[in-house]
Structures are given as C-alpha cells and as structure tokens.
Amino acid sequence: AQSVSQHNHHVILSEAASLELGCNYSYGGTVNLFWYVQYPGQHLQLLLKYFSGDPLVKGIKGFEAEFIKSKFSFNLRKPSVQWSDTAEYFCAVRSGSSASKIIFGSGTRLSIRP
Amino acid sequence: GAVVSQHPSWVICKSGTSVKIECRSLDFQATTMFWYRQFPKQSLMLMATSNEGSKATYEQGVEKDKFLINHASLTLSTLTVTSAHPEDSSFYICSARERGRETQYFGPGTRLLVL
C-alpha cells in the first residue's frame, strides 16, 4: 500500500529564509507526486505536481520540488519565504494511474515570522 | 480554473440526526468525486471514491451504512452522515476530477459539529 511521510510537523522560519520540507513515500511502482497548500481558513490548492520528465518541478509562488527516485523523496523548496507563505503544506502520492486515489501525508505547518 | 463548491460550509446538529453535505463541480463534469475528512491538526483521510452512476468505493474502516454517498449526476455528489454522533464532528472535504484529466480540484470543506 502507498504511504507518505512528512517528517516536519511544524517549521518556523523568518522572512527571507530558505525553506525545505521533506516528503518521502513508499510505493514500488510509477507514482504521481503532489504538493498542496492550505492557507488559514481556505481550501486546498495545488502547488505543483510531478508525473514524469524533468524531476525538478516548478510550481506557483516560487515553489519547486525535486523528485529523487532512489530516495523515494519529493522535497519542497523555496529559496526565500514570505510571511504570506504561512500555511499547512501537504505532500501527496498517487500510483501512476489517473484512476487511483491520492494519499496525503500528515502535513507540515509552516509559520513565518515577519 | 475548475471550481468545486460545498454546501453547507458549516453545520451544527444534535446527536442522532442525519446531515447531508453537497459537493458540486461548477464548470466541469466530475466523473469521479472523492470524500475526505480532516480532524484538527491532522491530514486528509480518504473516506470513499465515487464514480458517477456507480456505487461508491469505501476505504477500509469507513462504515458505508453510516456515510452514505450518492453521485447521481456529473456535477453533484452528496455525503449523508446518518445518526451522527459527536465523534463524527470533523471537517469534510470533497474533490472532483473530470474524465481523462489528471487534476483533482478540492472544495472548500464543510465543518460538522455534532452536539
């Protein structure tokens, strides 16, 4: 069965600091990988996704993620965070079939100090 | 982009009553809809997957007789929490996907509080 691990439960950074949120998954076959963001009081929004091709994926708002197959990882990065990045971030995985369900990680709460 | 709405956005009910939550795709035909629940400070847990015109597929541990899902049209799915109890209080989120498309679009969620 698929599973997703996000090791950081809560991350606190100052503005302009660099960000890296860890995500590891367990599944032996082809996977689709996602990062979603949930701003306070808002619904889930897709930040970026990886299906195939270039393992370095660029998303919205300056976020990027790198798929490292050998490490079963899909870490999210941003070189310089802003106060408005304060949110909950969820990594998610789906087996490589569009008919499959998406499984979410436990989430990482990001707090940015102004 | 595609929009998914949920109604109501929040509901308070007495223990033992049933509550229906609607999920609508506003500008696309959702051949597949998913229902999740999210407890405070926790992740989304998939409850069930429904395909239009078919019975829903429930995840392990989810009682299908308690959480009734109907996906009668390409733009509407409903989740009915039957005989709700306080432990059913949660945030229920639906998402929808169009046939042949990869992306799932999420609704804003419905907060249920059972007293």
Side-chain angles (χ1 to χ4, degrees), chain A residues 43 49 94 98 101-102 105, chain B residues 43 59 97 102-104 107-108:
Chain A
H43 60 278
K49 60 187 178 185
R94 180 177 69 193
S98 61
K101 57 197 178 191
I102 292 179
Chain B
S43 186
E59 293 299 301
R97 188 177 67 212
E102 300 283 357
T103 304
Q104 269 181 240

Side-chain angles (χ1 to χ4, degrees), chain A residues 20-36:
Chain A
E20 180 159 3
L21 301 182
C23 172
N24 288 91
Y25 66 93
S26 65
Y27 182 72
T30 303
V31 291
N32 301 147
L33 296 159
F34 308 83
W35 274 97
Y36 285 89

Side-chain angles (χ1 to χ4, degrees), chain A residues 38 88 90, chain B residues 36-45 90-93 111:
Chain A
Q38 188 174 31
E88 188 91 19
F90 295 96
Chain B
Y36 296 83
R37 65 188 298 182
Q38 185 181 26
F39 290 106
K41 300 185 189 298
Q42 295 186 31
S43 186
L44 284 76
M45 300 299 295
S90 188
F91 194 50
Y92 292 87
I93 303 171
R111 193 165 299 282

Side-chain angles (χ1 to χ4, degrees), chain B residues 4-9 21-24 35 92-94 107-110:
Chain B
V4 176
S5 70
Q6 283 184 240
H7 177 79
S9 56
I21 302 170
E22 293 185 348
C23 175
R24 292 181 185 273
W35 285 96
Y92 292 87
I93 303 171
C94 75
T110 296

Side-chain angles (χ1 to χ4, degrees), chain B residues 3-8 20-26 28 30 32-35 70-71 73-79 92-96 105-108 110:
Chain B
V3 177
V4 176
S5 70
Q6 283 184 240
H7 177 79
K20 180 184 282 189
I21 302 170
E22 293 185 348
C23 175
R24 292 181 185 273
S25 58
L26 298 186
F28 67 100
T32 305
M33 284 187 169
F34 305 86
W35 285 96
N70 184 287
H71 190 171
S73 79
L74 286 171
T75 58
L76 173 65
S77 176
T78 60
L79 167 68
Y92 292 87
I93 303 171
C94 75
S95 71
Y105 297 95
F106 285 82
T110 296

Side-chain angles (χ1 to χ4, degrees), chain A residues 35-82:
Chain A
W35 274 97
Y36 285 89
V37 60
Q38 188 174 31
Y39 296 104
Q42 297 188 29
H43 60 278
L44 278 175
Q45 299 175 45
L46 181 66
L47 264 183
L48 48 80
K49 60 187 178 185
Y50 171 80
F51 287 168
S52 63
D54 189 344
L56 184 61
V57 180
K58 294 195 183 298
I60 61 172
K61 305 187 180 187
F63 286 91
E64 65 177 32
E66 184 174 12
F67 170 50
I68 303 179
K69 190 175 181 179
S70 61
K71 295 184 178 180
F72 296 88
S73 70
F74 190 56
N75 292 355
L76 180 70
R77 300 194 293 249
K78 185 170 183 177
S80 177
V81 294
Q82 300 171 308

